[in-house]
Amino acid sequence: MRLTCWYTQQCVDQLNDLRVRLFTRGVEIDPQEVALINAKFLRLNPELALVLDIDGLSLSANGMKMQPDWNAEIGRLKRATLKTEMLARATQANDQPRLIDATAGLGHDSLLMAKFGAKVTLIERHPILFTLLEASYERAQIDPFLASVVANITLVFADAEDYLEQQYAKQQKIDVVYLDPMFPQRDQNQQRPKKQAQVKKQMQILHLLLPEDGEMDLGDALLLQAQKIAKRVIVKRPRHAVFLNNDTPQHQWLGDACRFDGYFCMNSTE
């Protein structure tokens, strides 16, 4: 994989480090120095690219740029309680479980679970998204509030299905596996995909980086693997989406727009 990287002069040192990191992950970058990276520049350069500037590492496309902005989550994390956060209740995050987030995304759910005390292993297989998460993780380590939260998070660059299979082979004990598949497009009755409101800019750009490809992110195989090793598997779904693998959960936590399906696996590795 090869990708343009727009950068400003003050970021030369970070660029060299980025080049090495991505090369070890199978990505080559084409560095292009520019004087100023602003909204006009991004509109004039709409192709998918990396951006390295005073805001850190971002991904840009179609006149926008995005990054997993963990600092922007601080307000939510400070307000979060078990009463207000279904995810924390579903995963029993306050019991400090050993938890695998097998579908990392932007890492916001991992942050929330880690805030409540869960020891989270966050898995991401795409080299660009993993590197963006890594940059957010490093920035969070120097924030007075986030530092104690991300101390509960471990980042792993791996294919989640392979990683879960490895844990099974090693007979690892896992309390919770959390799944949030990226492309749950079909409703409960297997009808055609419904028209969706415009996705937030972060997800628009992620969909360009991670285009839907057959069963790429539908999560059926992940559910099967997770059920082999975890005492509890929690799956985040849109309110009317089909069950993963057509497997009816033992319990559901229902919200207005989404739900959490719970699978309790008493025969998991002990």
Side-chain angles (χ1 to χ4, degrees):
M1 182 178 184
R2 189 174 184 88
L3 204 61
T4 297
C5 180
W6 308 109
Y7 73 98
T8 52
Q9 196 278 332
Q10 66 266 42
C11 296
V12 171
D13 290 341
Q14 297 98 305
L15 176 69
N16 293 331
D17 177 66
L18 177 65
R19 190 202 297 264
V20 172
R21 290 193 194 197
L22 286 174
F23 184 78
T24 64
R25 296 165 187 163
V27 178
E28 295 184 53
I29 60 173
D30 179 17
Q32 300 288 332
E33 182 178 346
V34 294
L36 179 65
I37 301 174
N38 56 16
K40 180 179 179 180
F41 174 85
L42 295 174
R43 287 195 303 271
L44 294 173
N45 296 273
E47 68 275 12
L48 190 68
L50 288 168
V51 172
L52 190 58
D53 60 8
I54 58 172
D55 296 326
L57 182 65
S58 305
L59 190 66
S60 69
N62 298 334
M64 305 176 289
K65 70 175 184 177
M66 61 74 65
Q67 59 185 190
D69 190 355
W70 288 6
N71 287 76
E73 295 294 301
I74 290 175
R76 179 195 177 192
L77 295 175
K78 287 182 175 180
R79 295 188 301 270
T81 66
L82 284 177
K83 183 176 180 180
T84 62
E85 298 291 347
M86 283 194 303
L87 174 59
R89 297 198 300 275
T91 57
Q92 297 184 335
N94 61 314
D95 290 340
Q96 301 184 355
R98 293 186 63 230
L99 187 152
I100 294 174
D101 183 348
T103 50
L106 298 176
H108 296 165
D109 285 345
S110 281
L111 271 181
L112 181 69
M113 294 182 288
K115 182 262 184 186
F116 281 94
K119 309 304 180 185
V120 181
T121 299
L122 194 157
I123 311 297
E124 177 51 50
R125 67 181 176 182
H126 195 286
I128 297 296
L129 183 52
F130 180 82
T131 304
L132 288 166
L133 287 166
E134 194 175 45
S136 292
Y137 180 86
E138 290 168 358
R139 286 194 301 272
Q141 287 179 310
I142 61 175
D143 180 271
F145 175 79
L146 288 177
S148 61
V149 176
V150 299
N152 288 331
I153 296 177
T154 301
L155 298 180
V156 175
F157 177 48
D159 179 272
E161 190 175 343
D162 291 343
Y163 184 84
L164 294 178
E165 178 60 34
Q166 290 167 9
Q167 303 314 299
Y168 177 70
K170 293 187 289 188
Q171 298 186 332
Q172 290 295 306
K173 299 178 181 179
I174 305 298
D175 297 314
V176 183
V177 173
Y178 174 62
L179 304 176
D180 180 10
M182 181 172 288
F183 298 111
Q185 294 279 341
R186 298 164 72 91
D187 73 8
Q188 190 81 321
N189 298 312
Q190 294 287 341
Q191 297 169 352
R192 292 180 181 179
K194 295 183 176 182
K195 291 184 179 179
Q196 312 248 340
Q198 186 177 15
V199 186
K200 286 197 256 181
K201 75 174 184 179
Q202 289 182 326
M203 294 308 297
Q204 290 180 38
I205 298 175
L206 272 186
H207 282 196
L208 293 174
L209 182 69
L210 307 166
E212 185 174 2
D213 180 17
E215 298 182 357
M216 175 179 169
D217 285 291
L218 297 180
D220 290 351
L222 286 179
L223 177 60
L224 290 171
Q225 291 286 38
Q227 289 172 310
K228 292 180 181 179
I229 65 168
K231 300 174 184 176
R232 171 179 291 241
V233 180
I234 302 299
V235 182
K236 183 178 181 179
R237 303 294 279 161
R239 177 76 184 235
H240 300 293
V242 297
F243 299 131
L244 284 193
N245 201 40
N246 293 316
D247 190 347
T248 303
Q250 280 89 15
H251 188 74
Q252 291 184 307
W253 292 260
L254 299 175
D256 293 334
C258 72
R259 68 175 197 261
F260 294 95
D261 295 343
Y263 302 86
F264 310 123
C265 310
M266 304 308 296
N267 293 324
S268 61
T269 300
E270 295 294 338

